Amino acid sequence: MAPESLTNTIEFYYHFFTGMYHFRTRDLVIALTYYREAEKYLDLLDKNANTDKAEFYFKMSEVYYYMKETHFSMNYAQRAYSIFKEQKDAQGNLTYGKEMVQCQFVIFGNWLDKMCYEDALETAVKALNDAIKIGEQHLIGSAHFNVGLCYNNLEELDNAEKHFQIAYEIHKDRKHIYESKAIFNLAYVKAKKNDLKAALELYQEGQKVAARHNNQEVTEKLKLVKGLYLSFDLQTLREVFKFFEEKNLYGDMEEYAVAVADFLTNKEDRHDAVDFYQMAIEARKQIQRGKHLNEKM
């Protein structure tokens, strides 16, 4: 390798790995600064470094996703996906199937953020089918979870329940932390379907699961099920939204504030509904100002 080529390679990896470090510590703006420096050397890498380029594109798609820069995130994820898709072994089998699914997860997340639920569902189903082909249980569980999110947003609650149930069972078997996320969403959908007996059982089990994983976020979210459907306690609900605000979970704050406000509107409790609509508006403002950047990753 020529000295100049070696220098370019070192510069690329220095900035790339430093950016990855700051991404893990949730310093997203600093991470992006280093990634952009690394990108200057991307075209100077060895012609055989396609997978390194794909990995870089994927990392760029991640940081832009968390910064809610949807178009940039999707563009980089699609570029990474295209490269990974071309990588095959001597028998013609895909060698980066897992990475392809992860790219689809990012694309799915961006469609969801844009509230393009049909496009999100199409991407999530494709990712699920690809995950099944790979046989990676964690990816299969996560893909079912994503499909469930789509159906929940489309108010196709039976389909949402089915996929959340599968996701829960897979993550439960593996004792993975996503088990707690799955059981909350399953309890939430059951409650929305007015299957309150099942929702109560899942709520109680969910508390144990969240405690086992030390997942305070899910512990608080389960209070939404209790406060909205099981006991109807506005004070409990307000405590949940106070937690969202303290933890800068403005995406959750916006989504669930609208859900609570709609629920109250249907009960003709318009006075309290206004408060929660106002919370949703404030959360949207904070997201637009970049205040969500400290969200848990």
Side-chain angles (χ1 to χ4, degrees):
M1 182 179 291
E4 183 179 356
S5 179
L6 179 60
T7 299
N8 292 334
T9 301
I10 292 172
E11 288 285 346
F12 169 76
Y13 285 113
Y14 166 74
H15 288 100
F16 185 27
F17 291 152
T18 305
M20 289 170 64
Y21 167 77
H22 286 291
F23 179 80
R24 286 195 297 270
T25 59
R26 291 184 287 179
D27 297 317
L28 301 186
V29 175
I30 298 174
L32 182 59
T33 299
Y34 278 100
Y35 283 164
R36 283 175 170 166
E37 284 298 311
E39 193 166 21
K40 295 177 182 178
Y41 297 92
L42 199 62
D43 291 334
L44 302 175
L45 295 181
D46 187 276
K47 292 181 179 179
N48 296 319
N50 278 338
T51 54
D52 291 337
K53 291 180 180 180
E55 179 67 20
F56 172 79
Y57 290 145
F58 175 71
K59 293 298 182 183
M60 286 288 277
S61 75
E62 279 190 315
V63 73
Y64 276 126
Y65 170 71
Y66 284 108
M67 296 178 78
K68 305 302 180 186
E69 296 284 354
T70 303
H71 295 295
F72 286 117
S73 178
M74 293 183 77
N75 178 269
Y76 277 106
Q78 288 164 346
R79 289 162 76 176
Y81 179 84
S82 296
I83 295 175
F84 285 134
K85 187 177 180 180
E86 295 301 316
Q87 310 307 308
K88 299 178 181 179
D89 61 21
Q91 288 72 43
N93 301 311
L94 292 169
T95 52
Y96 287 90
K98 179 179 178 180
E99 288 78 5
M100 288 171 58
V101 172
Q102 290 172 333
C103 289
Q104 290 171 321
F105 284 171
V106 174
I107 295 169
F108 151 81
N110 281 292
W111 281 128
L112 208 62
D113 284 348
K114 286 166 63 70
M115 294 186 287
C116 298
Y117 300 129
E118 294 289 353
D119 292 310
L121 179 59
E122 181 181 348
T123 303
V125 169
K126 188 176 188 308
L128 173 58
N129 291 333
D130 287 347
I132 291 171
K133 290 176 185 176
I134 297 168
E136 172 65 53
Q137 286 300 304
H138 172 66
L139 290 180
I140 294 171
S142 297
H144 274 293
F145 181 82
N146 290 345
V147 173
L149 288 178
C150 294
Y151 280 125
N152 181 48
N153 280 289
L154 291 166
E155 293 298 324
E156 296 184 30
L157 300 184
D158 288 341
N159 283 327
E161 178 188 336
K162 179 178 71 175
H163 287 280
F164 285 143
Q165 182 70 51
I166 296 171
Y168 173 54
E169 290 170 0
I170 290 174
H171 292 311
K172 180 181 179 181
D173 287 343
R174 296 168 59 83
K175 295 181 172 58
H176 195 280
I177 190 172
Y178 285 4
E179 171 191 5
S180 51
K181 290 174 58 178
I183 197 170
F184 157 68
N185 281 276
L186 187 57
Y188 187 57
V189 167
K190 284 284 193 181
K192 286 173 69 175
K193 291 177 64 177
N194 204 36
D195 187 351
L196 299 185
K197 180 181 178 181
L200 175 59
E201 292 174 355
L202 288 164
Y203 165 78
Q204 293 170 336
E205 180 62 25
Q207 286 183 310
K208 298 175 185 176
V209 172
R212 187 164 66 245
H213 291 293
N214 194 27
N215 193 327
Q216 185 184 7
E217 182 180 328
V218 169
T219 297
E220 292 296 322
K221 284 184 176 180
L222 283 164
K223 293 179 183 177
L224 288 169
V225 177
K226 181 182 179 182
L228 197 59
Y229 296 100
L230 300 179
S231 62
F232 190 65
D233 183 347
L234 284 178
Q235 181 56 37
T236 295
L237 293 175
R238 293 184 193 281
E239 289 172 3
V240 175
F241 286 96
K242 183 178 180 181
F243 170 81
F244 287 159
E245 185 173 18
E246 289 174 351
K247 298 299 182 181
N248 292 344
L249 296 171
Y250 291 110
D252 287 329
M253 186 174 175
E254 180 186 28
E255 176 184 352
Y256 293 113
V258 171
V260 171
D262 288 347
F263 182 89
L264 293 173
T265 299
N266 289 334
K267 287 175 64 70
E268 297 189 356
D269 183 357
R270 294 182 176 84
H271 176 75
D272 289 312
V274 168
D275 288 344
F276 285 94
Y277 282 130
Q278 186 60 47
M279 288 184 198
I281 292 169
E282 181 59 30
R284 170 50 47 183
K285 289 179 180 177
Q286 297 297 338
I287 290 171
Q288 290 171 341
R289 292 169 184 163
K291 296 295 185 180
H292 63 285
L293 297 185
N294 291 325
E295 286 185 5
K296 184 178 179 182
M297 308 227 173

